[in-house]
């Protein structure tokens, strides 16, 4: 899930163009990437201050950093939900989480990790999120193959189907960092009843498998499936 209701492009071709743009620009400048990203975030923040935004600036690293625990997250692409087709959303509902919505963070590489660790280290009471489901009711207005379309909530509102409660705890450690290198995530690790749908999900199945293979070889650490 990501903190936006729709993907930046309709399908695979647009995704490929964005990937090539990244490969030709920021990914070729690893030593200056952090400086460039900070500059782009400043430009995007200035644009948003007057009511605008730029998908290109964000794609190149200009997405402003906000506290992740205050964000609402979306799958953007559809999945099966038993006999239905649906998108999912992950929503903070506790006041302590809602208070973090839009809270800016510094541009450091570990700013989000540090902010999450600080939050859970000093938490007086557990906080809660809701998992919500939006069912597809009209393929014309809620397309499966065009991920750039925001499904209208006036036609099909998100419905809560589950909750997650988390209390105070250490959120990161050296052991956690070591374990992270051995794990990989893929939306295709799911029940048949929750199968990913649409061209972007089909492309992710191939791309993420290649990414797992590269990570395993580059880190010299086999990926362990859960």
């Amino acid at each position: 899930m990501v903190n936006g209701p729709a993907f930046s492009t309709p399908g695979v071709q647009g995704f490929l163009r964005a990937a090539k743009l990244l490969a030709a620009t920021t990914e070729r400048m690893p030593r200056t990437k952090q400086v460039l990203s900070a500059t782009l975030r400043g430009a995007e923040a200035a644009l948003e201050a007057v009511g605008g935004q730029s998908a290109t600036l964000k794609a190149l690293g200009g997405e402003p950093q906000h506290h992740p625990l205050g964000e609402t997250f979306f799958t953007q692409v559809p999945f099966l939900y038993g006999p239905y087709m649906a998108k999912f959303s992950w929503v903070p509902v506790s006041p302590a989480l809602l208070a973090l919505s839009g809270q800016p963070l510094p541009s450091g590489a570990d700013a989000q990790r540090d902010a999450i660790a600080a939050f859970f280290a000093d938490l007086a009471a557990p906080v809660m999120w809701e998992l919500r489901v939006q069912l597809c009711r009209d393929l014309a207005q809620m397309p499966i193959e065009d991920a750039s379309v925001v499904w209208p909530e006036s036609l099909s509102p998100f419905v809560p189907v589950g909750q997650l409660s988390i209390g105070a705890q250490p959120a990161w450690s050296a052991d956690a960092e070591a374990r992270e290198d051995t794990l990989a995530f893929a939306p295709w690790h799911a029940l048949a009843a929750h199968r990913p749908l649409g061209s972007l999900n089909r492309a992710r199945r191939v791309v993420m498998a290649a990414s797992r293979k590269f990570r395993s070889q580059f880190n010299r650490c086999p990926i362990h499936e859960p």
Side-chain angles (χ1 to χ4, degrees), residues 37-115:
S37 181
T39 302
L40 293 171
R41 284 197 297 270
E44 175 63 22
L47 189 60
E48 291 182 3
V50 295
Q53 60 178 322
S54 169
T56 301
L57 288 179
K58 290 184 176 183
L60 290 172
E63 177 75 46
Q65 287 210 89
H66 295 106
H67 202 299
L69 297 180
E71 297 277 0
T72 295
F73 291 89
F74 304 84
T75 57
Q76 295 189 336
V77 289
F79 295 77
L80 282 181
Y81 185 60
Y84 307 101
M85 297 177 291
K87 292 184 178 181
F88 299 92
S89 179
W90 192 249
V91 184
V93 294
S94 295
L97 296 174
L98 295 174
L100 300 175
S101 179
Q103 183 180 109
L105 292 179
S107 58
D110 296 329
Q112 295 194 18
R113 178 195 299 174
D114 293 342

Side-chain angles (χ1 to χ4, degrees), residues 12-200:
V12 175
Q13 291 302 319
F15 176 67
L16 180 60
R17 286 194 297 271
K20 287 182 176 179
L21 181 62
L22 281 172
T25 54
T26 58
E27 295 301 329
R28 288 184 177 273
M29 300 176 287
R31 294 185 180 180
T32 59
K33 185 175 180 179
Q34 185 174 356
V35 174
L36 178 61
S37 181
T39 302
L40 293 171
R41 284 197 297 270
E44 175 63 22
L47 189 60
E48 291 182 3
V50 295
Q53 60 178 322
S54 169
T56 301
L57 288 179
K58 290 184 176 183
L60 290 172
E63 177 75 46
Q65 287 210 89
H66 295 106
H67 202 299
L69 297 180
E71 297 277 0
T72 295
F73 291 89
F74 304 84
T75 57
Q76 295 189 336
V77 289
F79 295 77
L80 282 181
Y81 185 60
Y84 307 101
M85 297 177 291
K87 292 184 178 181
F88 299 92
S89 179
W90 192 249
V91 184
V93 294
S94 295
L97 296 174
L98 295 174
L100 300 175
S101 179
Q103 183 180 109
L105 292 179
S107 58
D110 296 329
Q112 295 194 18
R113 178 195 299 174
D114 293 342
I116 292 173
F119 179 86
F120 282 109
D122 187 26
L123 191 60
V127 289
M128 185 174 295
W129 288 261
E130 284 185 347
L131 177 65
R132 299 178 182 177
V133 173
Q134 184 184 31
L135 301 181
C136 179
R137 296 182 180 273
D138 182 340
L139 285 172
Q141 298 185 65
M142 309 171 76
I144 299 300
E145 296 295 337
D146 187 345
S148 67
V149 175
V150 177
W151 288 5
E153 292 192 53
S154 59
L155 182 63
S156 180
F158 279 96
V159 178
V161 295
Q163 295 178 330
L164 174 68
S165 178
I166 301 180
Q169 60 185 285
W172 193 253
S173 67
D175 290 343
E177 187 167 7
R179 288 196 304 272
E180 183 186 47
D181 285 339
T182 71
L183 299 174
F185 168 81
W188 286 85
H189 287 172
L191 299 174
H194 300 155
R195 177 169 57 86
L197 301 173
S199 62
L200 280 169

